[in-house]
Amino acid sequence: MPQGYDIIGDIHGHAAELEQLLLHLGYRETGSGFRHPGRKVVFLGDFIDRGEHLRQHRRLLEIVMAMVNNGHALAVMGNHELNALAYHTLHKGEPLRPRTPKNTRQHQAFLNEFDHLPELKGDVLDFFRQLPLWLELEGCRVVHACWDQQHVDLLRDRAPDARLDHELLVAASTRGTPEFVAVETLLKGYEVSLPEGITFADKDGNARKAVRVQWWNKDATCLGDIALPLGVDIGAAASLSVPENVPEYPPDAIPCFIGHYWLHGEPGPLTHNVACLDYSVVKGRKGGGKLVAYRFDGEQKLEKARFTHTD
C-alpha cells in the first residue's frame, strides 16, 4: 500500500498543467512514467475533450497510461471516456453514440490527434475500456460524478470488477435500461427533470430540460439550493421541493472523491466526507481555472489544507 494517495481532478487534455502538478507533488519522470517514492496518484477521469484546437491529448495520455500501466497511478472512467467508447464502438452497424455535429464537436480535440492514427487510437480506447467505474480504496471511495450505492450495487452484480464489457457498454448506451440510468448517474451526476417549458443553456450552449444536483447537500430546502452548475437560472423551478429520491451519502461513510462539476474559487471540501477536485482547468488561469489535487493520508474528516494546485 502507498503512503498516501494524490487524487487529481479532470484534466481534459491539458498535459502541461498535469506535468506541472505532478512535479509540484514530488513526482519525477522515470523510464516507467512519473512516479513518487511513496505515494500514488488516483485520477478521476475526463482525460480528453474540450477545446477544438488543443493539441496536448497525445502527451497527456502518454503520461496517464504509463503511470497506470506501471502501477504508479490508479484511475476511474469519466463521462468523456464513456462517450468516446460509445462514439467509436459499433453495434448493429451503427455507433453507440451517434456522430451528430454536437457530439463530434465535443470530441473534436481527441479526433484532431488520434483519428488519423488508428492503431494508437485503438490502444487508447483499449485503455479506456479497462478503467473501472468506481474504486473503493483503503479509507476512501472514488467515482467521477456521484456515489449512489443503489446503482453501484446494481452494476456490481453485472460487473464485479466495475469495468464495462461490450454487452454492458451497449446496455449503458441504451436509454431506458437500468444500466443506462446507473452509469449515467455515477459518471454524469444525478438529474432532476424540469417542469414543462423550463430549460437552461449548459456551458456548451445546449438547451437542457433536466438539471444536475448537489447530491451531497443535506441542508437544501428547495431545488434552487442544489441545482448545478452553481448559479444556474431555472426560473420558477427553483422554488420546488428537493426531490425525495436524490442519492444520500451517509455522514458516517468513508470519504468520497469526485470530479465533473466545474467548480470555481478556492478549493475545499463540499462536506466533511465529500470532495470535488474539478476546478475548471479548461478555463485556464486567466479564467480562474486550475488543475487540483487532494493529498489523502487516510484522514476521515477532509481538510481544506490538503487541497493543492500550482499557481
Side-chain angles (χ1 to χ4, degrees), residues 6-279:
D6 296 313
I7 305 166
I8 296 178
D10 306 30
I11 309 170
H12 288 298
H14 287 68
E17 284 82 350
L18 177 59
E19 290 190 69
Q20 291 170 12
L21 182 58
L22 289 171
L23 293 171
H24 171 70
L25 294 170
Y27 290 74
R28 296 295 178 262
E29 192 163 15
T30 70
S32 61
F34 280 89
R35 65 179 301 177
H36 191 283
R39 303 180 67 83
K40 184 176 288 192
V41 163
V42 181
F43 291 112
L44 287 169
D46 274 11
F47 301 114
I48 62 170
D49 298 336
R50 301 292 180 199
E52 293 182 23
H53 306 295
L54 185 67
R55 293 272 182 174
Q56 296 184 27
H57 279 65
R58 283 179 62 183
R59 173 57 180 158
L60 182 279
L61 287 164
E62 285 175 2
I63 295 171
V64 170
M65 290 169 65
M67 291 184 71
V68 173
N69 291 339
N70 290 299
H72 310 321
L74 302 169
V76 294
M77 183 181 291
N79 59 297
H80 284 265
E81 287 74 54
L82 173 70
N83 289 347
L85 288 174
Y87 187 96
H88 295 283
T89 299
L90 298 182
H91 178 64
K92 298 181 178 179
E94 297 292 333
L96 288 171
R97 181 171 173 81
R99 294 175 185 174
T100 62
K102 170 194 162 190
N103 290 345
T104 299
R105 183 170 60 252
Q106 184 187 71
H107 195 43
Q108 192 61 55
F110 179 88
L111 297 174
N112 289 344
E113 296 190 64
F114 289 99
D115 223 25
H116 64 295
L117 298 168
E119 185 173 346
L120 184 57
K121 181 173 70 175
D123 290 342
V124 170
L125 293 174
D126 286 344
F127 174 73
F128 291 169
R129 286 187 188 93
Q130 60 88 34
L131 293 173
L133 298 171
W134 69 85
L135 285 170
E136 293 186 89
L137 305 173
E138 186 170 343
C140 71
R141 292 167 169 156
V142 176
V143 69
H144 184 66
C146 176
W147 189 274
D148 183 326
Q149 192 64 52
Q150 177 181 350
H151 290 320
V152 168
D153 292 342
L154 182 149
L155 291 168
R156 202 195 311 269
D157 286 342
R158 288 287 310 274
D161 63 356
R163 290 173 170 84
L164 296 174
D165 59 17
H166 179 77
E167 182 182 356
L168 188 50
L169 177 62
V170 171
S173 303
T174 305
R175 287 186 179 276
T177 67
E179 294 86 355
F180 176 87
V181 175
V183 173
E184 287 277 304
T185 301
L186 298 190
L187 269 57
K188 300 183 181 182
Y190 187 83
E191 280 195 339
V192 174
S193 296
L194 294 171
E196 186 69 28
I198 295 181
T199 64
F200 69 96
D202 67 13
K203 55 182 173 289
D204 296 318
N206 303 306
R208 297 289 186 181
K209 298 180 180 180
V211 65
R212 294 204 171 96
V213 299
Q214 303 169 52
W215 49 272
W216 55 85
N217 186 345
K218 303 299 185 295
D219 299 324
T221 59
C222 60
L223 185 58
D225 290 342
I226 59 172
L228 289 166
L230 297 175
V232 65
D233 182 5
I234 55 172
S239 61
L240 295 175
S241 299
V242 175
E244 293 182 359
N245 52 352
V246 173
E248 292 188 12
Y249 195 70
D252 59 348
I254 61 176
C256 181
F257 293 94
I258 57 174
H260 189 61
Y261 291 105
W262 283 56
L263 301 185
H264 51 80
E266 194 58 30
L270 299 172
T271 71
H272 73 276
N273 64 347
V274 178
C276 177
L277 296 172
D278 180 9
Y279 279 80

